[in-house]
Each structure stands twice: as structure tokens, then as C-alpha cells.
Amino acid sequence: MVDSVRLTERLKKSQTFITPFKQPVAGRLVRVVGLTLEAVGVKAHIGSQCIVETAHGDLLAEVIGFSQEITFLMPEESLRGVLPGARVLPVSNKMKLPLSMALLGRVINGVGSPIDGKGPIKVTEDYHLDQTPINPLSRRAITEVLDVGVRSINSFISVGKGQRMGLFAGSGVGKSVLMGMMTRGTTADVVVVGLVGERGREVKEFIEEILGEQGRERAVVVAAPADNSPLMRLKGCETAVQISEYFRDQGLNVLLLLDSLTRYAQAQREIALAVGEPPATKGYPPSVFSKLPQLVERAGNGGEGQGSITAFYTVLTEGDDLQDPIADASRAILDGHVVLSRELADSGHYPAVDIEGSISRVMPMVTSKEHQTLARQLKQIYSLYQQNKDLISIGAYTKGNDPRIDQAINVQPVINFFLQQQIDEVIPYEQSISQLQEIIAAANASANQQQHANG
């Protein structure tokens, strides 16, 4: 039997701080299908929390739907010890997160409980409930560049404060490494990293090796690995966004790195299919494509007196297919995308940013005309070489036939060096632009010299 004292102590330890109903109406468990619990007699609305009695203690679950007298619940933990006819007791109507500046340097799970062994998080602020969406007319315009410390992004895919970007890549091409580089090199005040649906080994590796002690000082990591329940993975993404909103409301500029949007969609697919929602595009139900923009639109600039949330959402392109339903839907609601190329990664080119396939839709609003011209010129030279690479490599192209191709061949080694960067190397925005100017000047001088030689 669930007694209020034992329940209160358990919830305090988990730091979820759930407030029991004054008159909870308990029900009983009648069916378990996969990860879905079905109960009757429970009076609880969608999104509220319930305690399910099990042979191994109390299990926390969330109401995700209902059908006539049956209430569907999704557990936050494994279903070990669940018994037929178990008592189901509603205990909350809203999940609350304990938020404060003490979150910096900490690692928490999908519901805000610390998992780094450093004890409870000291809370100095009121508990943060779900926020209503910001009126789009109340947001400040994106007018400033955010330095991410990565030369290829600073130069060709410049990011503005408050921009929402996608990071499109297949598995094993360096998404996590690039995120770590941006974490260490950004000029943002706070970095919030959401590691959702990834391998547990990657979570520890990212925190200790890629992020490092220096990166952790101003970062908050939300971890919900692949072995967590779909509900915990879903909440992991939403918790990371909610923490970012808290810091934005304090007037700080936040860099949100959410890995990955695809795992968020897959978690929602599991939950939706479990309650009977019909599949649509490649097995994804309609609710997935409804929740994606709801999550993404919470990032961006705040109103007057607030800071900004610049967000990078990684999108896993299965089989390197950029037309995957989630990739296609994400591209339509984001302010640009960075594409990581497997071909570049396989050749040892890191970060494997494909500058031809990447774009920043707000770059014209946050960079100078000179910067845009330089980036366009170098991109044209790079693209010209890529278009003729096969002819050049087999010796079918004869030097002197086309001065533009000659220029591209001469400059290509310098461009490749420019686009590559060491993992622990931080290259500020201003330095990136000055190096871009030097390359264009050298390319133009080389072209003029070649022209005089031919003339």
C-alpha cells in the first residue's frame, strides 16, 4: 500500500517534487502490453503522474491517453515486479523541475534528478513549470553573430544568436566531436547539452573526454541513454529545452546542443503507437510531426530583458538519406542546417562539414557584405574543383584549358587545410574571417600570375 510519508520521501530524493492530489482516486492495473500499462478506475488527466505498486516497490508512470474507462500509462523505469490488479494512485498534476544557477557543471537525467554523484542540486528559484510559447512578435530579431569556435561554420555557415540549426549526419561521422568543439569554443554564456537515446558509453565519453573539465564549468548535461524508457527519452529533450529557457529568462545567451531530434521523434513514435495512434509516413504517426515544431520553436531570442537560445539539433540520417521523413520535416522548420559528409570523414577530413550542402538562412542578416562575398567566392572555387575532381584525378584535364579550374587546383590544398581543425583547437570568429580574406587574396594573386604567364 502506498502511504503518503513513504511517497513524499521518495519524491524528495528524486528531486521531482510532485504534489499529491488532495483527494486521489486510485484505480487498478488490468493489462500490460509491451511498455504500456492499462488501468481502470483512475481519475487523472493526460500528463499527470501516477504511482503503480509493484513487488519491488513503487513505480512512477505518466498518463499518456485513455479509451472509455481505460487509462493508458507509460512507466519511467523498467516494469520489473508489476503485478495484475496492482493499485494505481494519481500523485501529481504537473511535473516541476528544480532550476537554479547551481545546475552549471552538473549531469542530470530526463526528469531533473542528478546522476553525477555530487549530491542534490541547491534550488534558489521557484520551480519552473511548462512555459506558454512566446508570442513571435515579442521576440527580438536575430542581428548578432554567435561565435562557435569552429572555422568552417564561422566562415561559411555563420550562426546568429537565437538561430535554430540542424546538424545532419549519419552514424560515426563526428557529430559528438563537433558538439564538443562548439561547447569549448562558443562565446555563449551557458551551454546546455541533451544526450538523448545515445549509448551509455558515449554519454560518459562525451562528458569526460570531449566536454572536459573546462567545458563542464559553464555547461549542464541532460542524459537519457538508449536503455531509458521512451517517456524518459522524450522528457530528456524537453528538460534540456526547459533548462535553456530558465537561463534565457535570466538574461543569458544559451547554446543548446540537442542530440538527437531523431531519437526524440522515435520515442514519441513508440508512445503514440502504443496507445493506438495509426502510423503514417514510414511508421511515424502524425503526432510526431506535430511535436517536432513545438519543441524547436521554444528556442530562439527572448523578449526585452531576456537572453537567447541558439540551438543545434542533431538529426540522424539513416543510411545517409537526407530525404528521411524526420530529416525532411526538420529541415523545413529550422533556420538552416550543417551537413556532415561520410566521404570527408572517411578521408580523415575533420570536422567533416560539407560546405556545399550546408546553409545558414540568417547569415545575410548577421554578417557583413564583405564576409558574404568572400564566403561565396571561396565556395565557388571549392565547388568548381569538386565538379571536375574525377577528370583531374585521372589526368583527363589539361592545365591551361580553363583558368578557373587551374585556380581551383592551385588553391584546393589551402582550402582543405582551412576547413580542417583539431579537436582541441578554438578559432574565434574574427580570426576565421581574417584567414578567409588571406585565402581569397592568395587565390586572386595566383589567378593573376597564371593569366600573365599564359598571356
mmCIF file of all heavy atoms in Angstrom, residues 97-122:
data_model
loop_
_atom_site.group_PDB
_atom_site.id
_atom_site.type_symbol
_atom_site.label_atom_id
_atom_site.label_comp_id
_atom_site.label_asym_id
_atom_site.label_seq_id
_atom_site.Cartn_x
_atom_site.Cartn_y
_atom_site.Cartn_z
ATOM 1 N N LEU A 97 10.465 21.130 -12.305
ATOM 2 C CA LEU A 97 11.915 20.970 -12.326
ATOM 3 C C LEU A 97 12.555 21.950 -11.350
ATOM 4 O O LEU A 97 12.238 23.134 -11.370
ATOM 5 C CB LEU A 97 12.468 21.254 -13.728
ATOM 6 C CG LEU A 97 12.320 20.157 -14.778
ATOM 7 C CD1 LEU A 97 12.823 20.668 -16.117
ATOM 8 C CD2 LEU A 97 13.083 18.919 -14.378
ATOM 9 N N PRO A 98 13.470 21.474 -10.502
ATOM 10 C CA PRO A 98 14.203 22.400 -9.634
ATOM 11 C C PRO A 98 15.312 23.075 -10.436
ATOM 12 O O PRO A 98 16.266 22.431 -10.848
ATOM 13 C CB PRO A 98 14.784 21.476 -8.555
ATOM 14 C CG PRO A 98 14.906 20.150 -9.233
ATOM 15 C CD PRO A 98 13.836 20.079 -10.275
ATOM 16 N N LEU A 99 15.166 24.367 -10.658
ATOM 17 C CA LEU A 99 16.125 25.077 -11.501
ATOM 18 C C LEU A 99 16.839 26.160 -10.709
ATOM 19 O O LEU A 99 16.242 26.862 -9.900
ATOM 20 C CB LEU A 99 15.424 25.722 -12.702
ATOM 21 C CG LEU A 99 14.689 24.776 -13.655
ATOM 22 C CD1 LEU A 99 14.083 25.540 -14.800
ATOM 23 C CD2 LEU A 99 15.639 23.719 -14.171
ATOM 24 N N SER A 100 18.152 26.292 -10.975
ATOM 25 C CA SER A 100 18.945 27.365 -10.383
ATOM 26 C C SER A 100 20.283 27.409 -11.095
ATOM 27 O O SER A 100 20.600 26.546 -11.919
ATOM 28 C CB SER A 100 19.157 27.122 -8.877
ATOM 29 O OG SER A 100 20.080 26.073 -8.675
ATOM 30 N N MET A 101 21.084 28.405 -10.762
ATOM 31 C CA MET A 101 22.418 28.516 -11.351
ATOM 32 C C MET A 101 23.319 27.370 -10.881
ATOM 33 O O MET A 101 24.360 27.118 -11.470
ATOM 34 C CB MET A 101 23.046 29.857 -10.983
ATOM 35 C CG MET A 101 22.285 31.084 -11.483
ATOM 36 S SD MET A 101 22.087 31.116 -13.276
ATOM 37 C CE MET A 101 23.777 31.450 -13.780
ATOM 38 N N ALA A 102 22.896 26.663 -9.828
ATOM 39 C CA ALA A 102 23.679 25.529 -9.332
ATOM 40 C C ALA A 102 23.670 24.358 -10.303
ATOM 41 O O ALA A 102 24.402 23.386 -10.106
ATOM 42 C CB ALA A 102 23.132 25.079 -7.977
ATOM 43 N N LEU A 103 22.863 24.425 -11.348
ATOM 44 C CA LEU A 103 22.849 23.377 -12.368
ATOM 45 C C LEU A 103 24.144 23.347 -13.178
ATOM 46 O O LEU A 103 24.495 22.313 -13.753
ATOM 47 C CB LEU A 103 21.669 23.582 -13.325
ATOM 48 C CG LEU A 103 20.309 23.046 -12.870
ATOM 49 C CD1 LEU A 103 19.209 23.578 -13.770
ATOM 50 C CD2 LEU A 103 20.295 21.530 -12.866
ATOM 51 N N LEU A 104 24.845 24.473 -13.242
ATOM 52 C CA LEU A 104 26.070 24.537 -14.035
ATOM 53 C C LEU A 104 27.097 23.527 -13.522
ATOM 54 O O LEU A 104 27.366 23.446 -12.322
ATOM 55 C CB LEU A 104 26.657 25.951 -13.996
ATOM 56 C CG LEU A 104 25.807 27.041 -14.649
ATOM 57 C CD1 LEU A 104 26.445 28.410 -14.458
ATOM 58 C CD2 LEU A 104 25.606 26.758 -16.127
ATOM 59 N N GLY A 105 27.637 22.754 -14.440
ATOM 60 C CA GLY A 105 28.611 21.750 -14.090
ATOM 61 C C GLY A 105 28.021 20.419 -13.667
ATOM 62 O O GLY A 105 28.762 19.496 -13.316
ATOM 63 N N ARG A 106 26.693 20.290 -13.721
ATOM 64 C CA ARG A 106 26.036 19.076 -13.248
ATOM 65 C C ARG A 106 25.523 18.224 -14.408
ATOM 66 O O ARG A 106 25.329 18.700 -15.529
ATOM 67 C CB ARG A 106 24.855 19.437 -12.335
ATOM 68 C CG ARG A 106 25.221 20.257 -11.119
ATOM 69 C CD ARG A 106 26.233 19.567 -10.217
ATOM 70 N NE ARG A 106 25.765 18.281 -9.737
ATOM 71 C CZ ARG A 106 25.067 18.108 -8.614
ATOM 72 N NH1 ARG A 106 24.803 19.161 -7.835
ATOM 73 N NH2 ARG A 106 24.670 16.918 -8.231
ATOM 74 N N VAL A 107 25.295 16.943 -14.097
ATOM 75 C CA VAL A 107 24.717 15.993 -15.054
ATOM 76 C C VAL A 107 23.432 15.452 -14.431
ATOM 77 O O VAL A 107 23.443 14.944 -13.302
ATOM 78 C CB VAL A 107 25.684 14.827 -15.353
ATOM 79 C CG1 VAL A 107 25.072 13.907 -16.420
ATOM 80 C CG2 VAL A 107 27.028 15.354 -15.814
ATOM 81 N N ILE A 108 22.321 15.582 -15.140
ATOM 82 C CA ILE A 108 21.017 15.157 -14.620
ATOM 83 C C ILE A 108 20.348 14.218 -15.605
ATOM 84 O O ILE A 108 20.751 14.121 -16.776
ATOM 85 C CB ILE A 108 20.107 16.380 -14.344
ATOM 86 C CG1 ILE A 108 19.857 17.161 -15.641
ATOM 87 C CG2 ILE A 108 20.707 17.277 -13.282
ATOM 88 C CD1 ILE A 108 18.880 18.320 -15.476
ATOM 89 N N ASN A 109 19.307 13.526 -15.137
ATOM 90 C CA ASN A 109 18.565 12.649 -16.038
ATOM 91 C C ASN A 109 17.365 13.382 -16.644
ATOM 92 O O ASN A 109 17.237 14.594 -16.488
ATOM 93 C CB ASN A 109 18.134 11.367 -15.308
ATOM 94 C CG ASN A 109 17.123 11.648 -14.194
ATOM 95 O OD1 ASN A 109 16.602 12.750 -14.047
ATOM 96 N ND2 ASN A 109 16.852 10.629 -13.392
ATOM 97 N N GLY A 110 16.487 12.637 -17.302
ATOM 98 C CA GLY A 110 15.406 13.269 -18.042
ATOM 99 C C GLY A 110 14.400 14.021 -17.205
ATOM 100 O O GLY A 110 13.693 14.895 -17.727
ATOM 101 N N VAL A 111 14.296 13.721 -15.900
ATOM 102 C CA VAL A 111 13.332 14.417 -15.047
ATOM 103 C C VAL A 111 14.013 15.350 -14.051
ATOM 104 O O VAL A 111 13.388 15.821 -13.105
ATOM 105 C CB VAL A 111 12.428 13.403 -14.304
ATOM 106 C CG1 VAL A 111 11.529 12.680 -15.279
ATOM 107 C CG2 VAL A 111 13.249 12.413 -13.486
ATOM 108 N N GLY A 112 15.307 15.603 -14.245
ATOM 109 C CA GLY A 112 15.992 16.603 -13.431
ATOM 110 C C GLY A 112 16.726 16.091 -12.218
ATOM 111 O O GLY A 112 17.261 16.888 -11.445
ATOM 112 N N SER A 113 16.780 14.780 -12.021
ATOM 113 C CA SER A 113 17.491 14.234 -10.864
ATOM 114 C C SER A 113 18.979 14.106 -11.182
ATOM 115 O O SER A 113 19.339 13.610 -12.250
ATOM 116 C CB SER A 113 16.927 12.864 -10.494
ATOM 117 O OG SER A 113 15.551 12.958 -10.181
ATOM 118 N N PRO A 114 19.877 14.533 -10.271
ATOM 119 C CA PRO A 114 21.321 14.448 -10.543
ATOM 120 C C PRO A 114 21.789 13.000 -10.610
ATOM 121 O O PRO A 114 21.371 12.159 -9.804
ATOM 122 C CB PRO A 114 21.945 15.185 -9.353
ATOM 123 C CG PRO A 114 20.912 15.152 -8.282
ATOM 124 C CD PRO A 114 19.585 15.146 -8.957
ATOM 125 N N ILE A 115 22.667 12.696 -11.557
ATOM 126 C CA ILE A 115 23.204 11.338 -11.700
ATOM 127 C C ILE A 115 24.738 11.354 -11.690
ATOM 128 O O ILE A 115 25.360 10.366 -12.051
ATOM 129 C CB ILE A 115 22.694 10.683 -12.998
ATOM 130 C CG1 ILE A 115 23.076 11.520 -14.222
ATOM 131 C CG2 ILE A 115 21.196 10.461 -12.957
ATOM 132 C CD1 ILE A 115 22.731 10.865 -15.547
ATOM 133 N N ASP A 116 25.322 12.480 -11.268
ATOM 134 C CA ASP A 116 26.783 12.607 -11.286
ATOM 135 C C ASP A 116 27.417 12.330 -9.928
ATOM 136 O O ASP A 116 28.627 12.477 -9.758
ATOM 137 C CB ASP A 116 27.193 13.994 -11.768
ATOM 138 C CG ASP A 116 26.505 15.117 -10.996
ATOM 139 O OD1 ASP A 116 25.815 14.817 -9.996
ATOM 140 O OD2 ASP A 116 26.636 16.281 -11.406
ATOM 141 N N GLY A 117 26.612 11.948 -8.936
ATOM 142 C CA GLY A 117 27.159 11.607 -7.634
ATOM 143 C C GLY A 117 27.625 12.788 -6.809
ATOM 144 O O GLY A 117 28.355 12.617 -5.826
ATOM 145 N N LYS A 118 27.211 13.999 -7.161
ATOM 146 C CA LYS A 118 27.646 15.199 -6.442
ATOM 147 C C LYS A 118 26.600 15.719 -5.475
ATOM 148 O O LYS A 118 26.685 16.859 -5.015
ATOM 149 C CB LYS A 118 28.025 16.300 -7.435
ATOM 150 C CG LYS A 118 29.220 15.958 -8.313
ATOM 151 C CD LYS A 118 29.570 17.122 -9.220
ATOM 152 C CE LYS A 118 30.797 16.805 -10.071
ATOM 153 N NZ LYS A 118 31.149 17.933 -10.966
ATOM 154 N N GLY A 119 25.602 14.911 -5.180
ATOM 155 C CA GLY A 119 24.593 15.320 -4.224
ATOM 156 C C GLY A 119 23.462 16.102 -4.860
ATOM 157 O O GLY A 119 23.458 16.343 -6.077
ATOM 158 N N PRO A 120 22.483 16.503 -4.049
ATOM 159 C CA PRO A 120 21.325 17.239 -4.572
ATOM 160 C C PRO A 120 21.707 18.617 -5.091
ATOM 161 O O PRO A 120 22.726 19.186 -4.705
ATOM 162 C CB PRO A 120 20.397 17.345 -3.360
ATOM 163 C CG PRO A 120 21.296 17.206 -2.178
ATOM 164 C CD PRO A 120 22.399 16.289 -2.591
ATOM 165 N N ILE A 121 20.874 19.132 -5.983
ATOM 166 C CA ILE A 121 21.098 20.459 -6.564
ATOM 167 C C ILE A 121 20.434 21.498 -5.678
ATOM 168 O O ILE A 121 19.253 21.390 -5.342
ATOM 169 C CB ILE A 121 20.522 20.524 -7.992
ATOM 170 C CG1 ILE A 121 21.251 19.514 -8.884
ATOM 171 C CG2 ILE A 121 20.630 21.926 -8.573
ATOM 172 C CD1 ILE A 121 20.609 19.323 -10.241
ATOM 173 N N LYS A 122 21.191 22.505 -5.289
ATOM 174 C CA LYS A 122 20.650 23.569 -4.447
ATOM 175 C C LYS A 122 19.723 24.458 -5.277
ATOM 176 O O LYS A 122 20.118 24.983 -6.315
ATOM 177 C CB LYS A 122 21.779 24.403 -3.853
ATOM 178 C CG LYS A 122 22.684 23.621 -2.908
ATOM 179 C CD LYS A 122 23.796 24.489 -2.361
ATOM 180 C CE LYS A 122 24.707 23.693 -1.427
ATOM 181 N NZ LYS A 122 25.823 24.522 -0.909
#
